[in-house]
Amino acid sequence: MCRSIKTLRPPAIPEDATEEEIRAAALQYVRKISGFRAPAAHNREVFDRAVDAVAEATAELLAGIEVRGAKPKTAEPKTAELKAAEEESAEEESAA
């Protein structure tokens, strides 16, 4: 396996893979199997189509994978500022 391609699903990464990460992995895959780091001009179109197809298949795969034992996706994690504001608001309400 190509060592520069990383796992793109949680919990290997904390959040969903970005389009950029998916495309980079697809590019690495196509480079590996074609044996070319960059295609010659006459192969550019087919090379680019292959990267697009692999990226699309990867996105579809990642969207459909169910990781058993993983926590279900919920609302976005709260930032420290938001938590502090909520705590302050709760303290004000209890003091009133």
Side-chain angles (χ1 to χ4, degrees):
M1 185 165 143
C2 187
R3 293 181 187 192
S4 2
I5 300 175
K6 64 181 184 174
T7 302
L8 295 179
R9 66 164 178 78
I13 60 173
E15 298 177 4
D16 290 340
T18 64
E19 191 174 319
E20 184 178 293
E21 290 171 319
I22 291 171
R23 184 145 181 93
L27 177 60
Q28 287 298 321
Y29 177 78
V30 171
R31 285 176 173 169
K32 183 71 171 182
I33 62 169
S34 70
F36 295 108
R37 185 181 183 301
H42 62 279
N43 287 326
R44 169 60 66 193
E45 185 178 334
V46 71
F47 191 91
D48 289 343
R49 280 196 320 260
V51 172
D52 292 342
V54 171
E56 184 177 329
T58 301
E60 184 178 327
L61 171 68
L62 292 173
I65 286 180
E66 179 183 328
V67 180
R68 292 189 175 185
K71 295 178 184 176
K73 289 185 181 181
T74 58
E76 292 294 318
K78 296 180 182 177
T79 64
E81 291 175 358
L82 182 56
K83 287 179 185 177
E86 287 178 351
E87 288 173 6
E88 185 178 310
S89 176
E91 288 173 5
E92 289 174 359
E93 287 178 11
S94 64

